[in-house]
Amino acid sequence: MSSIVWNFSAGPAILPKAVLERAQQELLDWQGLGVSVMEISHRSPEFEALVAHMKALLRRLLGLPDTFEILFTTGGGQGQFAFVPMNLLHPEEYADYLITGGWSNRAAREAARFANVHVVADAASNGYTAIPEPSTWSMNAASKYFHYATNETVHGLQFHHVPEVEKPLVADMSSDFLSYPLSFDRFGLIYSASQKNIGPAGLTIVLIRRDWLTNAIRRVPEVFDYKSLASTDSMPNTPATFIWYLSALVFEWLEAQGGVAAMQKKNQRKSSILYEAIDESNLYQNSVEKSTRSQMNVVFDLIKPDLLPRFLEEARGAGLVGLKGHKTRGGVRASLYNAMPEEGVCALIEFMRTFEKKYA
Ligand SMILES: Cc1ncc(COP(=O)(O)O)c(C=O)c1O
């Protein structure tokens, strides 16, 4: 196997090398305490200062208005599929859900266990290759919010604009959080699991409009109740301290890179050179409608599908790992999160061209 390894895994995913090196340096002695960050109390002044620093960094990176609260919690993206309706809806109430791929589909299914889900449109009819035309969306006037996934990690579809609907938006940004600047006006709540652009798996971030932090609509376990999370500085219980610390290092790294606007430029460039290489080739194809192609997860198929196992094996030998498509979709998926440098994408393109010459 090649000595340089590029990790295209969809999540848990690549982390910035500088972050891992810093964590390594600080591992045995954090802030001169003589112990690691993993071994101190989450109630210690040092850890509380880290949490405050993390929130300030995140607010700065996102330009998050003061009308929003930042909550750190656990349970991942799928946890929020349940905790959002549990916190926001009475069992007899409605919410609109737009289905554009595997994850928003699961979000709708989970929400339906807690309240009434109205499916606005379902891209299953086009094989999750395009976002259904907004003019075809059937909205429910009684719905309290409109839920969608900004980026479909499995099917490689991404919104490049904020949907224009009357209801407040609730967005699953698990796979494109912090990869572009955002305007928050139309959002009520945004959530993201950590294992793509935030850090290692284990932290879930919820951004919620402060006026949505009312008394819990119904009984919600205290550790997942938004109001209780807000009133305890996100620490109603012991958090995953090491993951929070690593995420803070990623936020610092991101700021040093020029923030989310700089990331957006890099992400646009990385994904466009890869899509170009796919579109030019006679072996690879991406069937997602061009205007909705994801900048984070580039999915593609081999026109000769029998070559797929060989493609993945030889890619691995060339140091290109984590390229196997999700089990529900198959094919190839190259995830190009913030921490993936353009050099890694160029290495993949070069490999793809050599492979095509050899076998196609
Ligand atoms: C867009 C999206 N939503 C939700 C999830 C589920 O996240 P978790 O595994 O943290 O529950 C994922 C996981 O990859 C995802 O990509």
Side-chain angles (χ1 to χ4, degrees), residues 34 81 109 135 143 160 169 178 228 255 272 282 287 291 321 355:
F81 293 174
R109 280 210 323 259
S135 60
S143 285
H160 297 298
L169 300 172
L178 291 172
S228 137
E255 195 165 59
S272 65
N282 294 314
S287 37
S291 65
V321 303
F355 186 87

Side-chain angles (χ1 to χ4, degrees), residues 75-78 81 103 151 153 172 174-175 193 195-196:
Q78 293 198 62
F81 293 174
W103 287 114
N151 183 65
T153 326
D172 175 5
S174 292
S175 52
Q195 63 269 22
K196 287 98 163 53

